[in-house]
Amino acid sequence: MTSVPDVIQTWQMVQPWTKDKETGEKIPGKLEKTTIPMPELQPGEVLVEIAGCGVCHTDLGYFYYGVPTVNKPPLTLGHEISGRVVAGEEEWLGKEVIVPAVMPCNNCPICDAGRGNRCLAQKMPGNSLGIYGGFSSHIPVPAADLCVVENRGDVPLERLAVVADAITTPYQAATRADLQKGDRVVVVGAAGGVGSYVVQMAKAFGAGTVVGIDINQEKLERMLQYGADYIINPAGKDVKTVRDEFRALCKENGLPHNYGWKIFEVSGSKGGQEIALALLSFIGKLIWVGFSTNVNEYSLSRLMAFDAEIIGTWGCLPKHYPKALELVLSKKIQIEPFVETRPMSTIRETFEEAHSGKLMKRIVLTPDF
Ligand SMILES: [Zn+2]
Ligand SMILES: [Zn+2]
């Protein structure tokens, strides 16, 4: 058993993003390497020695784009965590675990209704779990909803960090869409850190056709090997042109273009959102996965005429985690081509690179304090 140190080593966001008073420009936050006292564990809590923590677009939102965290800085970001239990509740000791990105309170009307992924008292590392986050050596977490990792074969534990969010958010989204065998699916933002797994997840749920839409041609083409049957690059095109391209693609391949499509908006970009809304048609479903502060314009009466739905989805219920993990361990969902591990000491450069949007892979940072 690893001994428990006196302090937690961490990369804290000591200052959040700010606005330049004169230009109104957003100035990124500040990261500092520091230590915080080891907290006394409460009943029901365990201490996880972190193996890896993924860098998510949500972290960048807090750091660069002006999205506020629930708990004010200084706090440590990072909510995509895998690791090993080293202290706390005895039956958990030594277990390898994935920490769900959002942990419900399991004791409120929303949780009782089976909608705990949107529990209002939920805890999210790097946002609302005290000052604690995944870009650290250790993290105290409630044990109840941890996902135990067993029989992971040759898959390194740190790489499984992506199950905490990038894999499970698509799992929940596919569940919300009631994805069935043979379904026709469009993924907008299909080449991104979450979108690439939405594509794979759709196929793992049995989708018959998956159309991937993204502006990054190189990453988009890669998706043809991982679940996308067809791809459309909307870069430099207006919405109508993209819709016409989609219709032509359907015609060429003997697919109906105007009914029954399940569309996942994962891009979180204005352009992507406009495309997703434009493609929604009769008895269709639009699952809203990506986040932006953009305000959209859409005639909701179209929903009535289409008998269609727009559905929001947030995080993932902890009960789905073992099933999502199994899809990864059975290689029905590939993570290897989409994940790169780096030492946590590269966090500043890694944030910058992730922010630039040029990375081909999602980065998992491994503690090297
Ligand atoms: Zn995330
Ligand atoms: Zn609750």
Side-chain angles (χ1 to χ4, degrees):
M1 179 59 48
T2 317
S3 64
V4 178
D6 303 331
V7 292
I8 292 175
Q9 312 260 7
T10 189
W11 282 94
Q12 249 185 0
M13 178 168 75
V14 289
Q15 196 181 300
W17 70 280
T18 48
K19 241 182 206 172
D20 187 291
K21 282 195 187 79
E22 261 142 50
T23 63
E25 242 173 89
K26 283 169 185 161
I27 303 166
K30 279 205 176 77
L31 290 167
E32 295 290 352
K33 190 164 100 163
T34 184
T35 58
I36 49 181
M38 184 64 71
E40 197 163 321
L41 295 173
Q42 303 302 311
E45 281 187 344
V46 294
L47 184 73
V48 173
E49 181 184 50
I50 293 171
C53 180
V55 176
C56 175
H57 192 78
T58 305
D59 296 311
L60 304 180
Y62 299 140
F63 196 71
Y64 291 100
Y65 308 127
V67 181
T69 46
V70 169
N71 293 342
K72 298 292 150 248
L75 93 166
T76 302
L77 297 175
H79 54 268
E80 209 173 70
I81 304 165
S82 61
R84 202 163 60 87
V85 176
V86 293
E89 298 291 330
E90 204 145 317
E91 71 267 31
W92 285 90
L93 291 179
K95 289 200 166 129
E96 293 183 343
V97 294
I98 290 159
V99 180
V102 291
M103 290 170 277
C105 78
N106 296 320
N107 187 27
C108 76
I110 292 180
C111 286
D112 290 348
R115 303 288 296 274
N117 57 304
R118 196 47 283 196
C119 165
L120 301 181
Q122 67 184 202
K123 298 287 183 215
M124 175 175 163
N127 182 28
S128 56
L129 185 76
I131 59 167
Y132 304 106
F135 302 125
S136 307
S137 61
H138 298 77
I139 187 165
V141 290
D145 284 323
L146 295 175
C147 172
V148 177
V149 179
E150 276 167 333
N151 305 318
R152 62 181 162 82
D154 59 357
V155 185
L157 181 59
E158 60 268 26
R159 289 189 167 242
L160 290 173
V162 293
V163 173
D165 187 12
I167 308 278
T168 39
T169 294
Y171 191 100
Q172 179 79 26
T175 305
R176 290 281 275 152
D178 190 27
L179 256 188
Q180 303 290 332
K181 279 202 171 54
D183 273 351
R184 296 189 300 280
V185 169
V186 172
V187 182
V188 182
V194 174
S196 54
Y197 293 120
V198 174
V199 169
Q200 292 200 60
M201 192 62 74
K203 269 290 150 84
F205 270 63
T209 306
V210 178
V211 179
I213 298 181
D214 204 291
I215 52 172
N216 186 317
Q217 185 65 20
E218 191 185 358
K219 285 197 212 173
L220 185 59
E221 279 174 16
R222 178 173 65 172
M223 292 318 297
L224 288 167
Q225 295 167 54
Y226 299 100
D229 299 293
Y230 310 104
I231 53 175
I232 295 174
N233 186 337
K237 300 170 191 164
D238 63 15
V239 174
K240 193 178 164 301
T241 307
V242 176
R243 195 178 54 193
D244 289 347
E245 206 171 309
F246 174 75
R247 286 180 181 173
L249 183 155
C250 289
K251 198 168 172 200
E252 257 168 55
N253 295 285
L255 299 162
H257 71 81
N258 63 341
Y259 71 90
W261 287 88
K262 291 180 177 172
I263 299 156
F264 293 80
E265 190 337 87
V266 200
S267 76
S269 71
K270 188 169 188 282
Q273 292 171 344
E274 282 171 0
I275 291 166
L277 286 164
L279 294 183
L280 181 61
S281 192
F282 294 95
I283 66 164
K285 283 189 181 172
L286 171 49
I287 317 300
W288 210 261
V289 190
F291 177 83
S292 86
T293 50
N294 181 42
V295 176
N296 306 95
E297 193 175 289
Y298 185 72
S299 165
L300 288 169
S301 296
R302 287 162 68 99
L303 282 189
M304 179 275 263
F306 289 152
D307 200 1
E309 293 165 71
I310 300 178
I311 300 169
T313 184
W314 172 267
C316 180
L317 283 167
K319 72 168 184 187
H320 294 320
Y321 272 67
K323 289 172 276 179
L325 174 62
E326 181 49 36
L327 288 174
V328 170
L329 292 179
S330 64
K331 315 264 187 213
K332 287 198 180 92
I333 288 187
Q334 304 278 340
I335 60 169
E336 194 52 39
F338 299 95
V339 178
E340 178 189 334
T341 55
R342 293 182 183 178
M344 211 167 267
S345 55
T346 69
I347 186 166
R348 287 186 183 124
E349 304 91 276
T350 297
F351 267 36
E352 276 298 305
E353 265 187 84
H355 183 216
S356 77
K358 290 193 192 100
L359 288 170
M360 284 295 283
K361 300 182 176 190
R362 196 176 185 84
I363 307 296
V364 170
L365 297 176
T366 56
D368 62 334
F369 293 97

